[in-house]
Amino acid sequence: AQKVTQAQTEISVVEKEDVTLDCVYETRDTTYYLFWYKQPPSGELVFLIRRNSFDEQNEISGRYSWNFQKSTSSFNFTITASQVVDSAVYFCALTPYNTDKLIFGTGTRLQVFP
Amino acid sequence: NAGVTQTPKFRVLKTGQSMTLLCAQDMNHEYMYWYRQDPGMGLRLIHYSVGEGTTAKGEVPDGYNVSRLKKQNFLLGLESAAPSQTSVYFCASSQSQGGWDTQYFGPGTRLTVL
């Protein structure tokens, strides 16, 4: 089965707190791609990161960081020193190798309060 | 460079009416996709196209038809709308097969079927 699980439906934090959004995936393929997208209140989907299954290096981009661990089939996303503008729904997604399908998790709604 | 655009942004239909959603991309991408987003279910793939003149079914194709007569356009049709098709519809495009390249999304169309 190919599946993405985002167990956290909603998270609320106060500005400047660090927050981690969990993503666990299932696939039998050895080659696959993982993505994170952000959906702000305005509704559009914004691409954040793509990672292939052979690259387990953690990625940092400003206040955002991603921790990919094949051993636990997880691709977690951390926001450091959260800001109100980070309030959005965040989706983790999986594409198995050589397919045309992007399999989404159900999303985690993050609310950052001032 | 507008990226991916969708027309219309909002629409209200009565049960049984028909309509067409238009997606246009100016990135010369080969692949185009239609998704629907429902509360608590993430995004699900309706239909997709791997090139001009081609279409294929996704996860939830029933009740929808698509056409890709021009490379830059991907149309989603509802022949006889049903309340179960009330949703937010997203179009996306990518240069190559899903995993090798990132899918970029349009702003979405909010459809309500009464």
Side-chain angles (χ1 to χ4, degrees):
Chain A
Q2 325 264 23
K3 187 180 176 182
V4 176
T5 300
Q6 295 180 257
Q8 303 153 308
T9 305
E10 189 161 341
I11 300 174
S12 295
V13 299
V14 177
E15 221 173 5
K16 297 184 182 177
E17 283 187 34
D18 298 347
V19 57
T20 296
L21 309 181
D22 297 333
C23 173
V24 174
Y25 60 91
E26 294 176 32
T27 180
R28 291 180 181 172
D29 294 272
T30 55
T31 303
Y32 50 88
Y33 298 82
L34 295 164
F35 300 79
W36 276 94
Y37 284 87
K38 173 182 180 180
Q39 187 175 42
S42 52
E44 74 274 21
L45 278 156
V46 179
F47 163 75
L48 294 178
I49 189 171
R50 177 172 70 119
R51 173 69 74 209
N52 73 59
S53 55
F54 295 109
D55 184 359
E56 284 196 74
Q57 284 190 350
N58 289 336
E59 175 100 6
I60 298 175
S61 176
R63 296 184 297 106
Y64 295 173
S65 62
W66 290 269
N67 181 7
F68 176 31
Q69 291 195 334
K70 288 179 74 170
S71 61
T72 56
S73 297
S74 65
F75 187 42
N76 295 338
F77 173 30
T78 297
I79 301 174
T80 303
S82 59
Q83 300 177 1
V84 173
V85 294
D86 296 327
S87 297
V89 180
Y90 291 86
F91 290 96
C92 181
L94 161 73
T95 296
Y97 176 70
N98 211 29
T99 73
D100 303 306
K101 297 180 173 63
L102 191 58
I103 302 163
F104 282 86
T106 52
T108 297
R109 180 178 299 278
L110 173 65
Q111 290 194 311
V112 182
F113 293 99
Chain B
N1 189 341
V4 180
T5 57
Q6 293 181 229
T7 309
K9 289 187 170 54
F10 303 93
R11 186 72 186 268
V12 178
L13 291 178
K14 294 181 180 178
T15 297
Q17 287 185 319
S18 63
M19 78 163 294
T20 300
L21 306 183
L22 170 64
C23 175
Q25 52 95 4
D26 62 2
M27 297 176 281
N28 202 34
H29 284 172
E30 292 293 332
Y31 288 67
M32 296 187 75
Y33 313 80
W34 275 108
Y35 293 86
R36 59 177 290 172
Q37 182 180 25
D38 301 297
M41 300 189 74
L43 279 80
R44 293 180 294 167
L45 182 64
I46 305 171
H47 286 281
Y48 64 101
S49 167
V50 302
E52 182 178 321
T54 74
T55 63
K57 293 181 179 180
E59 183 185 354
V60 288
D62 294 342
Y64 305 95
N65 56 75
V66 288
S67 64
R68 183 102 181 266
L69 299 179
K70 293 183 179 180
K71 185 177 182 179
Q72 63 267 34
N73 296 338
F74 194 30
L75 279 63
L76 178 71
L78 287 73
E79 289 187 350
S80 180
S84 61
Q85 293 177 305
T86 293
S87 188
V88 180
Y89 292 86
F90 286 95
C91 176
S93 71
S94 63
Q95 177 55 40
S96 58
Q97 203 160 39
W100 294 102
D101 207 348
T102 299
Q103 291 187 25
Y104 293 94
F105 286 79
T109 295
R110 186 174 294 275
L111 175 66
T112 301
V113 182
L114 302 175

